[in-house]
Amino acid sequence: ARLQMEGKPTEQPEELLKKAVGRAKTYPDASYWLGRLFKGDKATKDDARELFQQYLKLAPNGEFAAQAKKEQ
């Protein structure tokens, strides 16, 4: 999904990230990336905020923690 968001061809990022969020305990980064995908759309902005919070719960010191804190 990250490759798709960066403009490299692959499957649809939203579907891949949703699957990964279902496994968030083993891959919390999916919550962060789906939040990034959702934050630009007014209809999913609240969902994005929740995903950033979920990421921070699962990985408070994770690679994207600083960015997720700014986004919530």
Side-chain angles (χ1 to χ4, degrees):
R2 188 174 179 177
L3 292 173
Q4 180 69 30
M5 289 177 66
E6 292 172 354
K8 298 174 182 155
T10 186
E11 293 181 49
Q12 293 299 317
E14 184 174 343
E15 294 307 315
L16 292 172
L17 288 167
K18 283 180 178 178
K19 288 178 187 176
V21 166
R23 301 179 189 112
K25 290 182 181 177
T26 57
Y27 188 62
D29 291 2
S31 297
Y32 172 78
W33 287 107
L34 188 57
R36 289 276 313 264
L37 186 65
F38 282 0
K39 78 174 189 166
D41 185 343
K42 284 184 180 184
T44 56
K45 197 170 190 170
D46 289 338
D47 293 331
R49 190 173 299 118
E50 289 177 24
L51 287 160
F52 291 131
Q53 290 171 353
Q54 179 178 334
Y55 172 80
L56 289 169
K57 243 186 206 178
L58 296 168
N61 299 310
E63 179 180 358
F64 306 109
Q67 294 96 319
K69 286 176 185 174
K70 291 177 187 176
E71 299 291 351
Q72 31 172 357

